[in-house]
Amino acid sequence: QVQLVESGGGLVQAGGSLRLSCAASGRTFSSYYMGWFRQAPGKEREFVAAINWSGGNAYYADSVQGRFTISRDNAKKTVDLQMNSLKPEDTAVYYCAIKYSDYDVSARRNYDYWGQGTQVTVSS
């Protein structure tokens, strides 16, 4: 089993920044991807960003490209999401997830474990 715990959510004004963090514990493997997804009220959970084991490859949804940055610290087993220039449409519950396969990083079905989520609210 793997446990993922997100932190860092909150309320911020449009144009502001937040940094989310996700800590992994339990049984983790040497090669895995970590990703961030989000779910707004009444909408499907959508891909935000992902990063491979080495941190050499990062993937972003078009909607956050250039504004969000994903990073990881393997020694600490953490993955962060730096969110800048936030918009009201970024309001959602943000989830981190871990994936052991090499399949599509943006597909929710390919992730094996999920955190409980952290709320991000961006006011206009």
Side-chain angles (χ1 to χ4, degrees), residues 31-51:
S31 297
Y32 54 90
Y33 289 80
M34 295 195 76
W36 286 95
F37 286 72
R38 66 187 182 187
Q39 187 166 18
K43 295 189 176 182
E44 299 254 331
R45 191 172 299 187
E46 65 175 5
F47 171 74
V48 175
I51 191 166

Side-chain angles (χ1 to χ4, degrees), residues 17-20 67-70 80-84:
S17 299
L18 277 177
R19 188 176 185 89
L20 305 182
R67 300 188 298 122
F68 291 11
T69 303
I70 189 171
D80 290 351
L81 185 69
Q82 177 65 42
M83 305 185 295
N84 298 328

Side-chain angles (χ1 to χ4, degrees), residues 50-113:
I51 191 166
N52 70 339
W53 159 250
S54 69
N57 291 309
Y59 309 84
Y60 297 96
D62 290 343
S63 59
V64 307
Q65 180 76 48
R67 300 188 298 122
F68 291 11
T69 303
I70 189 171
S71 60
R72 67 188 294 166
D73 185 329
N74 289 333
K76 296 180 180 178
K77 293 183 180 178
T78 58
V79 60
D80 290 351
L81 185 69
Q82 177 65 42
M83 305 185 295
N84 298 328
S85 302
L86 283 161
K87 305 175 181 180
E89 51 264 44
D90 294 318
T91 295
V93 177
Y94 283 69
Y95 299 89
C96 76
I98 191 168
K99 181 171 81 69
Y100 297 115
S101 70
D102 287 327
Y103 301 136
D104 183 6
V105 297
S106 66
R108 188 176 61 187
R109 66 181 180 277
N110 292 333
Y111 285 78
D112 300 280
Y113 295 97

